[in-house]
Amino acid sequence: MTSQPSWNPEQYLRFADERLRPVLDLIGRIAHPAPQRVVDLGCGAGNALPLLAARFPGATVTGVDGSADMLRKATDAGFPVQQADIAQWTPEEPVDVLFSNAALHWLGDHEGLFPRLLGFLAPGGVLAVQMPSMHAEPLRARQDAIARSGPWADRLAGIASAPPILSAGAYYDLLRPRVATLDLWFTEYLHVLRGPDPVVQWAMGTSLRPYLDALTEEERPAFLRDYAAAMRSAYPPQADGCVLLPFRRLFLLASL
């Protein structure tokens, strides 16, 4: 199963600039003439909230997230927030722009989820989503392999990170009959990471959380040591010591 991870906003924001790039790219492509209600579903630490407000100055921008720790950070931006399980959340009134960056991949049953989200939109509304497409890459795949093969295998049985997302074609077939316009694209970012074992530090803010939460304090160092060795092999440093992390993301814009 996919566990619900704990979230550390400071760890997540260690790579704030890199994590902000897809936010900017997605916001820049949203075409809505004058939204009144904008919701960031899975807003995390709230780094997209001021950007959404700047893009849509006439709108009320609200963040929704399940993590109290993340929302405490998000409130520093001065926007209204709501703590809720994003898999169960329902708006009180229709939404003009429903935005979600790097959150929905943690949820299952996208065949049911995405039509449900479309049902929350006002006429002419836009669903704007970005999700990592990294399940088969070493960053993610080695996590599962190490979890299943180490001395912690029994403890981590049934623990997994975010499940694989659907193919682009599956999202197209699911959404195209339900919307007026649909735009899908992939972008692969090449993040330049610095510092000791930076890929591990990146993953500790996101996809490693379910495993680390389930391990004991005594087990975590050995697990991280094995994962760090795998990441150094998969993503070796460049001549100047920096590490290049290719990171592929799926973008989706659906308008009623």
Side-chain angles (χ1 to χ4, degrees):
M1 69 177 183
T2 302
S3 44
Q4 292 300 313
S6 66
W7 292 105
N8 182 319
E10 285 72 29
Q11 182 70 34
Y12 181 83
L13 293 173
R14 287 186 66 162
F15 302 97
D17 289 345
E18 290 83 1
R19 298 193 196 279
L20 204 59
R21 290 175 62 186
V23 173
L24 293 167
D25 290 347
L26 182 57
I27 290 175
R29 295 281 292 273
I30 299 173
H32 193 295
Q36 297 300 304
R37 292 172 295 278
V38 175
V39 173
D40 183 352
L41 188 60
C43 67
N47 52 345
L49 296 176
L51 299 172
L52 288 164
R55 175 71 175 82
F56 304 113
T60 298
V61 178
T62 304
V64 179
D65 202 90
S67 168
D69 290 335
M70 284 292 207
L71 287 178
R72 277 192 287 272
K73 189 72 174 178
T75 55
D76 292 344
F79 293 90
V81 297
Q82 176 186 357
Q83 185 174 1
D85 179 352
I86 64 172
Q88 304 298 326
W89 172 82
T90 300
E92 295 181 357
E93 54 186 332
V95 176
D96 297 305
V97 173
L98 184 52
F99 176 91
S100 187
N101 179 72
L104 298 185
H105 62 295
W106 287 99
L107 307 182
D109 185 26
H110 281 197
E111 294 89 347
L113 173 67
F114 276 76
R116 180 171 178 266
L117 295 179
L118 289 178
F120 298 155
L121 297 178
V126 178
L127 175 64
V129 174
Q130 180 274 122
M131 298 178 290
S133 180
M134 292 289 289
H135 192 77
E137 300 304 314
L139 174 77
R140 287 285 312 280
R142 292 300 297 158
Q143 296 170 6
D144 283 335
I146 292 169
R148 307 295 170 248
S149 62
W152 40 72
D154 288 344
R155 185 182 301 280
L156 296 182
I159 301 296
S161 192
I165 64 173
L166 304 179
S167 68
Y171 287 111
Y172 182 91
D173 288 343
L174 177 66
L175 299 177
R176 189 65 193 90
R178 295 175 163 90
V179 298
T181 64
L182 178 62
D183 192 6
L184 294 164
W185 74 94
F186 286 104
T187 297
E188 183 172 271
Y189 298 87
L190 194 59
H191 297 307
V192 180
L193 307 184
R194 298 171 176 83
D197 290 318
V199 177
V200 178
Q201 294 299 319
W202 176 285
M204 285 176 65
T206 52
S207 54
L208 272 183
R209 295 312 316 169
Y211 306 105
L212 298 180
D213 289 348
L215 292 169
T216 66
E217 290 187 13
E218 293 75 19
E219 290 169 326
R220 285 175 196 145
F223 182 92
L224 288 172
R225 183 177 61 246
D226 287 359
Y227 183 64
M231 293 303 95
R232 287 193 292 269
S233 175
Y235 307 102
Q238 301 301 118
D240 65 356
C242 293
V243 174
L244 302 181
L245 175 63
F247 205 100
R248 193 170 189 244
R249 299 177 183 270
L250 173 66
F251 292 79
L252 182 155
L253 278 171
S255 303
L256 298 187

